[in-house]
Amino acid sequence: MATLLITGAAGRIGSALRPRLLAAGHSLVLFDAREPDPPVGDGERFVPRELHDRAALETAMIGVDTVVHLAGIPTEATWDDIVETNMTGTKDVLEVAAANGVLRVLLASSIHAVGFVAEEHDAPSSVPGDRLPRPDSYYGVSKAVMELLGSLFVDRFEMSIVSARIAAFAPERPHSRRARWVWTSADDLARLVEVTVGLTEPGHHVVWATSRNSGSQVDLTAGERIGFRPVDDAAAVLSDEEFAAMPDEEMRWLGGSMATQPLGEPAP
């Protein structure tokens, strides 16, 4: 089993992954400015620092096999904040990982890196996981930059990096209309972490980190090439009646409403 460093471990995704990765037998190093909830338990170590604290990153990296980089601003924000946290923060994590010989990394990219691709629900499996970026926001730009940093560090340091385009993450079941096609379950994301832990050859893999949702526009082939085979399906846990009762959403682009809100301003 591996020792995993999770940055942003107190966030929604980190909190959902923790019990799943512990149950799989891994040891965890939790890195976040906030205390994790539930509190740190057996098999876990907590480093309470901000992402820009290089000394703390060095400490957190001790004994680590794989990094799961989740930390960052999770939505639209000002350009300066996005650059400092999402772009420079990712660069720092990769620099410290490479310097410490930690060569396997999962980067939490996003559907918003390709958020201005048109949604076409009559064209299933039409958007490959490694499609060129078409961001919908400054946030989306930061995720495209994250992917480019992944490519750079693979080429420079022969690392194994997965840039995981996470979509509508919800641990147990989807909570929106768009998630009917782009839901990411916690179990399937944990499966992608396991795939990353098992990588042995250098390479950069840009993949859809979504579940296997019926009729989805996303093409899971890029992930399948490295052994990622999600199994959950939004259609199996969301009835037609529940879907019909959900509020309408922006459905013209993969990025949903992020593609229409003002640049640099968080959603209301």
Side-chain angles (χ1 to χ4, degrees), residues 209-221:
T210 70
S211 295
R212 194 175 294 277
N213 303 306
S214 299
S216 176
Q217 191 177 347
V218 307
D219 181 350
L220 300 174
T221 303

Side-chain angles (χ1 to χ4, degrees), residues 48-221:
R49 289 291 186 273
E50 297 281 356
L51 193 59
H52 56 71
D53 189 330
R54 290 287 292 252
L57 280 173
E58 294 278 357
T59 298
M61 208 69 67
I62 295 172
V64 166
D65 303 296
T66 303
V67 175
V68 180
H69 179 44
L70 306 175
I73 298 172
T75 186
E76 183 68 331
T78 67
W79 176 255
D80 288 347
D81 287 345
I82 286 285
V83 169
E84 178 182 7
T85 302
N86 291 12
M87 300 186 204
T88 303
T90 297
K91 184 264 301 179
D92 289 348
V93 168
L94 289 172
E95 284 182 347
V96 174
N100 284 272
V102 182
L103 302 182
R104 290 188 297 271
V105 181
L106 183 142
L107 298 173
S109 186
S110 170
I111 192 173
H112 297 289
V114 289
F116 252 125
V117 173
E119 280 204 88
E120 300 178 25
H121 298 299
D122 58 349
S125 302
S126 61
V127 184
D130 54 0
R131 185 203 187 280
L132 288 174
R134 191 174 178 181
D136 56 19
S137 54
Y138 292 155
Y139 171 75
V141 168
S142 77
K143 295 303 182 176
V145 169
M146 171 182 279
E147 296 174 3
L148 291 173
L149 285 167
S151 177
L152 171 65
F153 275 76
V154 164
D155 289 338
R156 285 296 188 104
F157 301 103
E158 296 189 333
M159 300 173 76
S160 302
I161 297 180
V162 174
S163 290
R165 288 178 171 170
I166 301 170
F169 177 83
E172 307 296 341
R173 66 196 314 274
H175 298 305
S176 71
R177 278 180 171 262
R178 287 185 59 254
R180 169 64 180 77
W181 292 280
V182 293
W183 178 45
T184 301
S185 76
D187 286 341
D188 279 332
L189 191 55
R191 291 182 180 100
L192 184 53
V193 173
E194 294 282 9
V195 168
T196 305
V197 169
L199 292 175
T200 58
E201 297 295 328
H204 181 224
H205 311 281
V206 184
V207 307
W208 279 115
T210 70
S211 295
R212 194 175 294 277
N213 303 306
S214 299
S216 176
Q217 191 177 347
V218 307
D219 181 350
L220 300 174
T221 303

Side-chain angles (χ1 to χ4, degrees), residues 240-252:
D240 291 342
E241 292 76 16
E242 289 173 313
F243 176 76
M246 289 176 169
D248 288 336
E249 294 182 83
E250 174 59 72
M251 302 287 278
R252 287 176 289 175

